[in-house]
Amino acid sequence: SVAAAWQARLESPADVKELIPEFFYFPDFLENQNGFDLGCLQLTNEKVGDVVLPPWASSPEDFIQQHRQALESEYVSAHLHEWIDLIFGYKQRGPAAEEALNVFYYCTYEGAVDLDHVVDERERKALEGIISNFGQTPCQLLKEPHPARLSAEEAAQRLARLDTNSPSIFQHLDQLKAFFAEVISDGVPLVLALVPHRQSHSFTIQGSSDLLVTVSASGLLGIHSWLPYDRNINNYFSFSKDATIGNSKMQRLLSGPWVPDRGVDGQALAVAPDGKLLFSGGHWDGSLRVTALPKGKLLKQLHCHLDVVTCLALDTCGIYLISGSRDTTCMVWRLLQEGGFSVGLASKPVQVLYGHEAAVSCVAISTELDMAVSGSEDGIVIIHTVRRGQFVAALRPPGAMLPGPVSHLVLGSEGQIVVQSSAWERVGAQVTYSLHLYSVNGKLRASLPLVEQPTALAVTEDFVLLGTAQCALHILHLNKLLPAAPPLLMKVPIRSVAVTKECSHVLVGLEDGKLIVVGAGQPS
């Protein structure tokens, strides 16, 4: 019981506890999901099961989210220096510690006991037991009061004076608007538009621009110039269109031929975080191809899958690529590095992942969390480990009697799995679409029925971005799948959505070949 534990802290001076990190990010530890027999309470004989939450929390997820918000609040920021003074600073020892009621058993302090000089074995073991039981007070690092942290307002003013950062759109969701439109491939859908988030820059060149990579459904490759923030420009960013796109003799085309009647699919494309390589599936011969950027030269063709590669995804680190195929398998590939740059793909996969009974339709991967997630045409989502290729869980999104394909799948930074699935109530009925949120351990946290047909899905630390065939861009809160802002209408169906690395803009690719840049008003 959180309430009972809190009360014990207040009433017993000998009861010293600190919160483990899970209290701020991991709801699963608050539930006895496996139904273990944890006995009964001595006083009430009440059976011990899930942690009893305080009345202000409606669920374990709500408890963790509110706890996290409290930890990140302005109040905690304003008092953080006082905690540092108690734990590491001048109030840890001496008269200041006594005045702050911050004194502990003498054996817990650094240097209080020299075990090497204790000759009596019994006394030595007793002291070791005391230290083990009471714990150890951290080293005293500071002898003077720690300065207070800047308030959020002061920090914002300082950043504004530096004038080097474009504002995050997620801090100004009430000001969202389409800043800019550029025709990339007239009349041909734009299936990929993104700025690789780990591009290297020379320290000697200030304000050097990034590459913005686009691919159209015909395989036309565009390498544009993108500068996310320049105070001297009206829109506070600059975009220079690739001059080769409009010149039929100089155009760069990804090597085909592609699967008939499908063209290039954005799900089967991935760009290395440093912007040096583009990986493509969807080729008729079942190959996975590696193309060098910015030149567009084909470097390698890998033939390991037994059928067409339907989907690709990269981890944020640029270490592993995962591919899914019609042959029902997924493969994990290691990127080759030289001098800190991506130069190719290993000739053989490090893992082959099995479990699907239908074609794999979408994939996602996180090296940090050791997760590879895949969805298939028959509506099943499977989680594997990356390093050992072990099966972890199979998820079937809730819904109608006849499940359809899992069309989109993304992974959040804390292992949240966002799944977009479709289904039919009965044979011949109209297809229905829905969005589902799972925890890192595969527990269903939220579901959202959709009235529009999803065509693109992206995720940031706290938000989900959804593009639809009905021309709308939706922004939802990641942890609840609730709307965070009114939908932004584009007039043309959306084919791709990506967030720039600074979260300063959203890049939207449209059915008619236009690139739309969404921002949040001019910085003040």
Side-chain angles (χ1 to χ4, degrees):
S1 166
V2 173
W6 172 255
Q7 199 61 36
R9 294 307 80 78
L10 295 177
E11 293 173 356
S12 171
D15 200 342
V16 180
K17 296 283 190 294
E18 62 181 23
L19 298 183
I20 57 175
E22 283 79 357
F23 268 90
F24 302 98
Y25 77 92
F26 193 56
D28 300 51
F29 92 97
L30 296 166
E31 295 179 292
N32 184 13
Q33 293 177 1
N34 296 303
F36 291 131
D37 183 3
L38 302 173
C40 298
L41 296 176
Q42 289 173 309
L43 292 176
T44 63
N45 212 29
E46 187 183 346
K47 191 171 174 60
V48 177
D50 296 341
V51 172
V52 180
L53 299 174
W56 48 261
S58 59
S59 66
E61 291 78 22
D62 183 44
F63 174 81
I64 294 295
Q65 189 176 11
Q66 291 200 57
H67 226 204
R68 175 77 160 264
Q69 286 172 346
L71 181 69
E72 302 290 352
S73 70
E74 190 63 23
Y75 180 87
V76 170
S77 288
H79 293 273
L80 195 58
H81 63 290
E82 296 168 14
W83 175 81
I84 295 171
D85 289 338
L86 289 168
I87 308 299
F88 300 104
Y90 82 104
K91 289 184 180 179
Q92 190 200 86
R93 299 188 183 198
E98 292 175 31
E99 194 179 331
L101 304 179
N102 189 37
V103 288
F104 300 91
Y105 193 68
Y106 79 99
C107 284
T108 67
Y109 290 94
E110 183 186 34
V113 177
D114 187 353
L115 290 173
D116 294 331
H117 286 80
V118 179
V119 180
D120 189 318
E121 188 67 24
R122 282 187 178 181
E123 187 183 350
R124 180 191 174 91
K125 284 191 173 178
L127 285 169
E128 284 177 347
I130 289 168
I131 292 170
S132 176
N133 183 54
F134 281 94
Q136 288 176 277
T137 306
C139 301
Q140 187 176 18
L141 303 178
L142 306 162
K143 299 290 178 72
E144 311 227 337
H146 194 284
R149 191 179 186 184
L150 288 178
S151 70
E153 191 177 342
E154 288 167 336
Q157 288 172 357
R158 183 173 290 192
L159 278 174
R161 284 199 297 273
L162 291 173
D163 209 20
T164 55
N165 289 317
S166 181
S168 165
I169 60 166
F170 300 112
Q171 294 175 359
H172 305 277
L173 287 172
D174 56 333
Q175 301 174 35
L176 281 186
K177 57 185 176 184
F179 269 158
F180 174 83
E182 177 71 52
V183 177
I184 304 296
S185 49
D186 198 8
V188 181
L190 196 62
V191 296
L192 179 78
L194 62 82
V195 178
H197 65 272
R198 289 194 176 181
Q199 300 183 50
S200 60
H201 296 294
S202 169
F203 290 110
T204 58
I205 306 171
Q206 195 172 13
S208 53
S209 58
D210 284 326
L211 297 182
L212 191 158
V213 182
T214 61
V215 179
S216 65
S218 62
L220 178 64
L221 175 64
I223 306 295
H224 317 274
S225 174
W226 166 263
L227 189 63
Y229 184 74
D230 187 337
R231 65 175 300 184
N232 300 314
I233 298 174
N234 261 351
N235 288 328
Y236 286 86
F237 71 88
S238 63
F239 171 87
S240 299
K241 186 177 174 181
D242 184 347
T244 66
I245 278 186
N247 188 327
S248 56
K249 293 181 180 179
M250 295 175 67
Q251 282 179 346
R252 288 169 286 219
L253 288 165
L254 295 178
S255 63
W258 308 89
V259 176
D261 304 325
R262 285 198 65 167
V264 183
D265 185 358
Q267 292 264 61
L269 297 172
V271 179
D274 60 7
K276 300 295 181 184
L277 299 173
L278 183 144
F279 307 97
S280 59
H283 304 282
W284 68 277
D285 59 356
S287 63
L288 167 58
R289 301 189 185 183
V290 185
T291 302
L293 298 179
K295 292 184 178 179
K297 179 185 176 184
L298 180 65
L299 297 179
K300 202 171 190 177
Q301 298 185 54
L302 297 161
H303 297 269
C304 288
H305 281 290
L306 301 176
D307 206 331
V308 172
V309 175
T310 53
C311 47
L312 297 172
L314 273 158
D315 64 9
T316 54
C317 319
I319 298 174
Y320 290 115
L321 172 82
I322 184 171
S323 58
S325 169
R326 279 185 190 168
D327 67 8
T328 74
T329 69
C330 297
M331 294 184 183
V332 178
W333 309 78
R334 180 177 280 279
L335 270 68
L336 303 176
Q337 306 273 339
E338 273 182 23
F341 296 110
S342 307
V343 295
L345 208 56
S347 298
K348 291 185 177 178
V350 294
Q351 300 293 352
V352 180
L353 309 176
Y354 301 94
H356 288 290
E357 296 179 0
V360 179
S361 50
C362 51
V363 286
I365 186 168
S366 169
T367 300
E368 302 98 323
L369 298 171
D370 197 24
M371 291 176 72
V373 188
S374 52
S376 58
E377 296 284 350
D378 60 357
I380 300 293
V381 175
I382 292 181
I383 307 171
H384 287 90
T385 63
V386 175
R387 292 177 186 87
R388 295 188 177 181
Q390 292 177 327
F391 172 87
V392 176
L395 315 173
R396 183 181 287 278
M401 297 296 292
L402 300 171
V406 175
S407 302
H408 297 91
L409 181 67
V410 289
L411 268 175
S413 59
E414 292 171 16
Q416 306 100 321
I417 306 167
V418 182
V419 175
Q420 183 266 300
S421 63
S422 52
W424 293 268
E425 288 292 341
R426 60 186 183 280
V427 177
Q430 190 174 358
V431 64
T432 59
Y433 303 99
S434 52
L435 210 58
H436 308 283
L437 173 68
Y438 290 89
S439 73
V440 65
N441 286 327
K443 182 189 175 188
L444 183 65
R445 285 192 179 176
S447 291
L448 177 70
L450 301 171
V451 295
E452 300 175 20
Q453 179 186 349
T455 51
L457 189 67
V459 68
T460 68
E461 193 166 336
D462 298 307
F463 297 93
V464 175
L465 291 89
L466 182 73
T468 71
Q470 285 69 36
C471 320
L473 175 66
H474 298 268
I475 299 180
L476 311 169
H477 289 289
L478 173 56
N479 286 321
K480 293 184 178 178
L481 297 185
L482 296 175
L488 199 62
L489 299 178
M490 296 289 166
K491 299 182 182 177
V492 179
I494 293 171
R495 289 295 297 269
S496 71
V497 172
V499 181
T500 60
K501 61 185 178 183
E502 314 84 358
C503 290
S504 59
H505 301 88
V506 178
L507 305 176
V508 182
L510 299 183
E511 186 80 30
D512 62 0
K514 283 195 184 75
L515 170 67
I516 303 292
V517 178
V518 175
Q522 294 185 344
S524 58

